[in-house]
Amino acid sequence: MTPETFTVLLSDSALRRVFSAIALGSSTSAEILATTGLAAPEAAPAIGRLLREGLVVAEGRGRLAVDEAALDAAAEIAGRRQREQAEAEQPDPGLRGYVRGTVLVRLPEDDETRQAVLHHVAATTFEADREYDERTVTDLLRPWCEGTTVDPVSLRRFLVDDGFLHRASGAYRLVSLVGPRQSS
């Protein structure tokens, strides 16, 4: 069973109610009908489909149970896909969970990781030997902040305070960055 199959099955109200009843311990048709409040003509096709799709299995005479192995397999597939997607979106494992593509997901709490994330933002956003005015810096940082709690003005301040951007007379310049920056 794939995660997509699981999702599609449980998007149907009758299937979801029958599955939930079985997951909560109803194992016979009578128990499933009592728990779900469905009539037999509604519940019977739902039970049949869940059996055919492998989400529930027959256990003994007239008893049903959730196929835990099928759920575990679907969860494993979904977890692997999430890991692969995270790796594709951010190849650097040290930045994963903090930077996705060109979006700052969140700023880390610990100083070393925070320095690495800010270094990455500065190195990929600004060119060496170029001066930027405040508005341009803020505009360049805006895409990093889409959908996050960090705003571009705060991010600009972090980059200055942590020594990645130098500010003088209203002009900003990238500080010379050599390799990933870490705190000492």
Side-chain angles (χ1 to χ4, degrees):
M1 165 161 318
T2 66
E4 293 83 5
T5 301
F6 179 76
T7 303
V8 169
L9 287 172
L10 293 189
S11 68
D12 179 282
S13 175
L15 292 173
R16 185 173 53 251
R17 289 169 73 178
V18 169
F19 175 79
S20 297
I22 295 168
L24 292 172
S26 298
S27 62
T28 66
S29 295
E31 291 172 341
I32 293 168
L33 292 174
T35 302
T36 63
L38 295 172
E42 268 186 300
I47 292 169
R49 180 133 186 239
L50 291 171
L51 282 164
R52 281 190 308 280
E53 295 288 347
L55 195 50
V56 299
V57 293
E59 280 194 344
R61 191 173 181 140
R63 300 187 83 67
L64 299 172
V66 170
D67 186 342
E68 298 293 338
L71 286 179
D72 289 345
E76 175 59 34
I77 291 168
R80 186 181 71 245
R81 288 180 185 170
Q82 283 181 331
R83 286 187 302 277
E84 289 169 355
Q85 182 177 355
E87 290 170 10
E89 290 175 345
Q90 182 46 257
D92 183 340
L95 299 177
R96 215 169 285 145
Y98 303 106
V99 176
R100 184 177 304 127
T102 58
V103 175
L104 179 63
V105 177
R106 65 187 176 95
L107 274 176
E109 297 291 324
D110 70 282
D111 286 338
E112 186 175 327
T113 308
R114 177 186 165 105
Q115 290 292 307
V117 168
L118 290 174
H119 177 273
H120 175 77
V121 170
T124 57
T125 305
F126 302 102
E127 298 173 24
D129 302 323
R130 180 168 171 209
E131 228 174 59
Y132 300 88
D133 63 49
E134 187 169 272
R135 174 172 276 170
T136 301
V137 171
T138 303
D139 289 344
L140 288 170
L141 293 174
R142 194 171 313 285
W144 286 100
C145 301
E146 293 295 322
T148 186
T149 57
V150 179
D151 63 272
V153 172
S154 296
L155 182 55
R156 183 187 72 222
R157 191 174 314 114
F158 297 144
L159 290 168
V160 171
D161 291 349
D162 287 11
F164 294 100
L165 289 179
H166 176 71
R167 180 181 62 203
S169 302
Y172 293 77
R173 183 178 288 281
L174 180 66
V175 173
S176 177
L177 304 174
V178 180
R181 180 139 163 189
Q182 300 177 356
S183 62
S184 40

